[in-house]
Amino acid sequence: MALTTKKDICFVIHSLQAGGMERVMSELINFFASNNNYTIHLVLYGIKRDVFYEISKDINIYKPSFEFDNSKRLLSTLKTNFFLRKTIKSINPMAVLSFGERWNTMVLLALLGTKIPVYVSDRAQPDKSLGKLHDTLRTILYPKAKGIIVQTEKALNIYKKMYQHSNFKVIGNPIRPIPAQNIPRQNYILMVGRYIKSKQQDVLIEIFSKLNAPDWKLVLVGYDHLKQNNQVEWEALAQKLNVADRVIFTGKQADVEHYYLTSKIFAFSSASEGFPNVVGEAMSAGLPVVSFDCIAGPSDLIVEGKNGYLIPLSNQELFTEKLQLLIENPQVREDMGKNSKEFIQKFELNYICTAFENFIISV
């Protein structure tokens, strides 16, 4: 019997440090590495080439032999481009998958003139400007990609207007399952997110202060990721609004699952997203969700009135109204929580990874 020749697939990312984009990449390469039909190559080429996530020992890893010197940025960028081109050409994969809105242009530029199919995927807010240079490069180079993977339907509509391309695919993030445990739920409204301006925890505190719910608490899981000192400011806001004793700042938490499983409602006040994993995780834990309909992500996860409520941006009055409705109606909360858990199964890891596989090997 003839041996089946394995297919080489190359995954390209700046690093595998702790982060949502990096987590998805690590899950993808482990999924592909578990399939005997493929030989998997991982190219790490950014300033920090750390590997935080556990990856299969069967994956071939490539890193530049030089450090990226920010004081000689142009030279380092040129050397990195040459490294990418030489390394990926030597692998000669059937497909390349690159992650990162600021990094995909470098990969596309490095492989110009080759016949290697390159698929790119941005992992942030789709309509966010990256500056004149990056925006111009993306306009020129993205149409040269073999395919463009977007995370949400809103992103798809935006990208179709931005880039002249015929091969788009919407694939959301894999959502890790959060199995039920025998833990009593408390009167907690939960939000999980870094303490940064765009997450708008201050807006959520204002909304919480308007609720008629004296026996409920607002739990904010996160930390001052960008050292903006928002927690101090938001604690003062809670004090001013006379809810300081009912607003809990947990700081950074390793066991976020505990908060999902002990809360009754998930509230998401973010003003911009690529794909909000925390909303999916809350749904996996069986929580109804009230979220601003920001670009992009919540509208791909929330079915209005079935597993939560989508609120137009800045409409604090309606956000307050829907939270109050859930507080006062435990049966509605329970029904929506069940619907959440059922709906989010379509973002199960193997399903999402298979969608990536079907798209990038369809050359």
Side-chain angles (χ1 to χ4, degrees):
M1 181 182 294
L3 293 175
T4 303
T5 303
K6 287 191 174 186
K7 300 169 184 175
D8 293 282
I9 302 179
C10 185
F11 295 83
V12 188
I13 194 169
H14 64 290
S15 84
L16 281 183
Q17 292 182 288
M21 172 174 64
E22 294 84 353
R23 177 186 64 82
V24 174
M25 177 61 86
S26 68
E27 290 171 335
L28 274 173
I29 59 178
N30 284 331
F31 171 84
F32 276 86
S34 68
N35 188 323
N36 290 329
N37 292 322
Y38 305 117
T39 298
I40 302 306
H41 307 268
L42 172 66
V43 180
L44 297 171
Y45 64 98
I47 297 173
K48 295 181 180 179
R49 300 146 191 169
D50 307 6
V51 177
F52 172 81
Y53 296 97
E54 185 175 339
I55 60 174
S56 169
K57 60 180 176 55
D58 296 325
I59 295 167
N60 302 303
I61 302 177
Y62 308 80
K63 300 179 184 180
S65 59
F66 55 89
E67 296 297 320
F68 192 101
D69 186 350
N70 254 323
S71 67
K72 300 176 181 177
R73 192 169 186 83
L74 178 58
L75 177 60
S76 293
T77 299
L78 291 173
K79 287 172 67 177
T80 302
N81 249 41
F82 179 75
F83 162 79
L84 284 169
R85 186 178 182 89
K86 182 180 179 181
T87 302
I88 297 173
K89 282 186 70 177
S90 70
I91 296 168
N92 193 28
M94 68 171 296
V96 171
L97 176 62
S98 173
F99 269 19
E101 62 280 354
R102 289 188 178 276
W103 301 92
N104 290 334
T105 50
M106 182 178 284
V107 178
L108 288 166
L109 192 61
L111 295 177
L112 272 180
T114 71
K115 294 184 179 180
I116 299 172
V118 181
Y119 295 82
V120 297
S121 181
D122 288 358
R123 317 301 294 178
Q125 181 184 346
D127 59 350
K128 182 174 76 173
S129 172
L130 301 177
K132 188 173 182 180
L133 176 60
H134 274 288
D135 290 350
T136 301
L137 284 172
R138 284 157 62 87
T139 301
I140 296 169
L141 294 170
Y142 267 46
K144 300 182 185 301
K146 184 69 176 178
I148 300 175
I149 298 164
V150 297
Q151 297 172 283
T152 65
E153 291 293 335
K154 279 192 175 181
L156 176 63
N157 293 331
I158 291 168
Y159 274 49
K160 279 185 173 179
K161 294 175 184 176
M162 290 172 62
Y163 306 115
Q164 298 301 312
H165 209 291
S166 60
N167 195 24
F168 287 99
K169 182 69 175 178
V170 178
I171 306 176
N173 280 355
I175 300 298
R176 63 191 180 98
I178 300 180
Q181 297 181 26
N182 190 24
I183 305 175
R185 294 193 181 271
Q186 308 293 326
N187 288 346
Y188 294 160
I189 298 170
L190 174 68
M191 178 169 173
V192 178
R194 294 169 295 164
Y195 297 164
I196 57 177
K197 298 294 185 185
S198 64
K199 300 296 183 185
Q200 299 193 129
Q201 283 92 336
D202 53 337
V203 172
L204 191 54
I205 292 169
E206 291 177 6
I207 290 170
F208 179 72
S209 72
K210 298 171 186 174
L211 294 170
N212 180 19
D215 58 341
W216 282 70
K217 293 183 178 179
L218 175 63
V219 179
L220 303 174
V221 176
Y223 66 107
D224 277 311
H225 176 74
L226 299 179
K227 297 182 171 62
Q228 295 174 343
N229 295 318
N230 288 318
Q231 182 172 340
V232 173
E233 180 183 329
W234 295 342
E235 285 176 340
L237 175 64
Q239 190 75 41
K240 177 184 174 183
L241 296 173
N242 297 315
V243 290
D245 60 330
R246 296 192 293 118
V247 177
I248 302 170
F249 293 86
T250 71
K252 193 173 185 178
Q253 294 291 324
D255 184 15
V256 182
E257 288 189 11
H258 170 78
Y259 292 92
Y260 288 129
L261 293 169
T262 55
S263 299
K264 292 182 177 179
I265 301 170
F266 192 80
F268 196 62
S269 53
S270 183
S272 66
E273 291 291 324
F275 188 95
N277 291 330
V278 294
V279 171
E281 290 172 359
M283 293 171 67
S284 179
L287 291 177
V289 179
V290 182
S291 171
F292 281 131
D293 188 14
C294 65
I295 298 174
S299 59
D300 281 50
L301 296 171
I302 297 171
V303 181
E304 181 68 23
K306 295 293 185 181
N307 56 15
Y309 300 104
L310 282 169
I311 311 298
L313 273 174
S314 302
N315 193 334
Q316 295 188 31
E317 184 178 349
L318 184 59
F319 203 118
T320 306
E321 178 185 316
K322 295 303 183 184
L323 282 179
Q324 191 71 52
L325 185 153
L326 290 174
I327 286 169
E328 294 176 356
N329 293 274
Q331 189 61 54
V332 174
R333 292 199 307 268
E334 184 177 338
D335 291 345
M336 282 191 169
K338 288 178 180 177
N339 291 339
S340 285
K341 203 165 185 65
E342 182 178 337
F343 175 88
I344 211 62
Q345 289 177 10
K346 66 171 66 177
F347 294 92
E348 185 267 334
L349 177 63
N350 286 342
Y351 179 89
I352 295 296
C353 290
T354 300
F356 270 94
E357 179 184 17
N358 291 339
F359 188 58
I360 70 173
I361 67 167
S362 62
V363 181

Coordinates of all heavy atoms in Angstrom, one line a residue, residues 9 21 25 46 57 81 88 93 100 104 121 124 140 142 176 220 241 246 291 305 310 316 326 342 345 354:
I9 N 1.5 22.6 6.0 CA 0.8 23.9 6.3 C 1.6 24.7 7.2 O 2.1 24.2 8.2 CB -0.6 23.6 6.9 CG1 -1.4 22.7 5.9 CG2 -1.4 24.9 7.1 CD1 -2.8 22.3 6.4
M21 N -5.9 36.2 20.5 CA -5.5 35.8 19.2 C -4.5 34.6 19.3 O -4.6 33.7 18.5 CB -4.8 37.0 18.5 CG -4.2 36.7 17.2 SD -3.6 38.1 16.3 CE -2.3 38.7 17.4
M25 N -4.7 30.7 17.8 CA -3.7 30.1 17.0 C -3.1 28.8 17.6 O -2.9 27.8 16.9 CB -2.5 31.1 16.8 CG -1.4 30.6 16.0 SD -1.8 30.1 14.3 CE -1.7 31.7 13.4
G46 N 7.9 38.0 15.6 CA 7.7 39.3 16.2 C 8.8 39.7 17.1 O 9.9 39.1 17.1
K57 N 4.4 18.7 20.4 CA 5.9 18.5 20.1 C 6.1 18.2 18.6 O 7.2 18.2 18.2 CB 6.4 17.4 21.0 CG 5.8 16.0 20.8 CD 6.4 15.0 21.8 CE 5.7 13.7 21.7 NZ 5.6 13.1 20.3
N81 N 11.5 40.6 7.0 CA 10.8 40.2 5.7 C 11.6 39.2 5.0 O 11.0 38.2 4.4 CB 10.7 41.5 4.9 CG 9.2 41.9 4.8 OD1 8.5 41.8 5.7 ND2 8.8 42.3 3.6
I88 N 9.6 30.5 4.6 CA 8.4 29.9 4.1 C 8.6 29.3 2.7 O 8.0 28.3 2.4 CB 7.2 31.0 4.1 CG1 7.0 31.5 5.5 CG2 6.0 30.5 3.4 CD1 6.0 32.6 5.6
P93 N 4.8 25.4 1.7 CA 3.6 24.8 2.1 C 2.4 24.9 1.1 O 2.5 25.7 0.2 CB 3.2 25.6 3.4 CG 3.8 27.0 3.0 CD 5.1 26.7 2.2
G100 N -3.2 38.5 12.6 CA -2.8 39.8 13.2 C -2.9 40.9 12.2 O -2.2 41.0 11.2
N104 N -0.2 41.0 9.2 CA -0.5 40.3 7.9 C 0.1 40.9 6.7 O 0.5 40.2 5.8 CB -2.0 40.2 7.7 CG -2.7 39.2 8.7 OD1 -2.1 38.3 9.2 ND2 -4.0 39.5 9.1
S121 N -6.1 36.6 8.6 CA -7.2 36.8 9.5 C -6.9 37.9 10.5 O -5.8 37.9 11.2 CB -7.5 35.6 10.2 OG -8.6 35.8 11.1
A124 N -9.2 41.9 15.4 CA -9.6 43.1 16.2 C -10.8 43.8 15.5 O -11.3 43.3 14.5 CB -8.4 44.0 16.4
I140 N -3.5 47.8 -0.5 CA -2.8 47.2 -1.7 C -2.6 45.7 -1.6 O -2.8 45.0 -2.6 CB -1.4 47.9 -1.7 CG1 -1.5 49.4 -2.0 CG2 -0.5 47.3 -2.8 CD1 -0.3 50.2 -1.9
Y142 N -4.0 43.2 0.8 CA -5.0 42.3 1.2 C -5.7 41.6 -0.1 O -6.0 40.4 0.0 CB -6.1 42.9 2.1 CG -5.8 42.7 3.6 CD1 -4.5 42.9 4.0 CD2 -6.7 42.3 4.4 CE1 -4.2 42.7 5.4 CE2 -6.5 42.1 5.8 CZ -5.2 42.3 6.3 OH -4.9 42.1 7.6
R176 N -14.3 28.1 24.7 CA -14.0 26.9 25.6 C -15.2 26.6 26.4 O -15.9 27.5 26.9 CB -12.8 27.2 26.6 CG -13.1 28.4 27.5 CD -11.8 28.8 28.2 NE -12.0 29.9 29.1 CZ -12.2 29.8 30.4 NH1 -12.2 28.6 31.0 NH2 -12.3 30.8 31.2
L220 N -16.8 43.1 38.7 CA -15.9 43.5 37.5 C -14.6 42.8 37.6 O -13.7 43.1 38.4 CB -15.7 45.0 37.5 CG -17.0 45.9 37.5 CD1 -16.6 47.4 37.6 CD2 -17.8 45.7 36.2
L241 N -21.7 57.7 43.3 CA -23.1 57.2 42.9 C -23.7 56.4 44.0 O -24.8 55.8 43.8 CB -23.0 56.4 41.6 CG -22.6 57.2 40.4 CD1 -22.4 56.2 39.2 CD2 -23.6 58.3 40.0
R246 N -21.4 47.9 46.7 CA -22.0 46.8 45.9 C -21.3 46.7 44.5 O -21.8 45.9 43.7 CB -23.5 47.1 45.7 CG -24.3 47.1 47.0 CD -25.8 47.0 46.8 NE -26.3 48.3 46.2 CZ -26.9 48.4 45.0 NH1 -27.1 47.3 44.3 NH2 -27.3 49.6 44.6
S291 N -25.8 43.3 26.2 CA -24.6 43.8 25.6 C -24.9 45.0 24.7 O -25.9 44.9 24.0 CB -23.8 42.7 24.9 OG -22.8 43.2 24.1
G305 N -33.7 38.5 22.6 CA -34.9 38.0 23.3 C -34.8 36.5 23.6 O -35.7 35.9 24.3
L310 N -29.5 42.8 22.8 CA -28.5 43.7 22.1 C -29.0 45.1 22.3 O -30.1 45.5 21.9 CB -28.4 43.4 20.6 CG -27.5 42.2 20.3 CD1 -27.7 41.8 18.8 CD2 -26.1 42.4 20.5
Q316 N -28.1 53.9 27.4 CA -28.0 53.4 28.7 C -29.4 53.1 29.3 O -29.5 52.2 30.1 CB -27.3 54.5 29.6 CG -25.8 54.7 29.2 CD -25.1 55.6 30.3 OE1 -25.4 55.6 31.4 NE2 -24.1 56.3 29.8
L326 N -34.4 41.3 33.7 CA -33.8 40.0 34.1 C -33.7 39.9 35.6 O -33.9 38.8 36.1 CB -32.4 39.9 33.4 CG -32.3 39.7 31.9 CD1 -30.9 39.8 31.4 CD2 -33.0 38.4 31.5
E342 N -27.0 26.3 24.8 CA -27.3 25.5 23.6 C -26.7 26.2 22.3 O -26.1 25.6 21.5 CB -28.8 25.3 23.4 CG -29.2 24.4 22.2 CD -30.7 24.2 22.1 OE1 -31.4 24.3 23.2 OE2 -31.2 24.0 21.0
Q345 N -22.8 26.1 21.4 CA -22.2 24.9 20.9 C -21.7 25.0 19.5 O -20.7 24.2 19.1 CB -23.1 23.7 21.1 CG -23.4 23.4 22.6 CD -24.4 22.3 22.7 OE1 -24.8 21.6 21.7 NE2 -24.9 22.0 23.9
T354 N -12.3 22.9 12.2 CA -12.7 22.2 10.9 C -13.1 23.2 9.9 O -12.8 23.1 8.7 CB -13.8 21.2 11.2 OG1 -13.4 20.2 12.1 CG2 -14.2 20.5 9.9

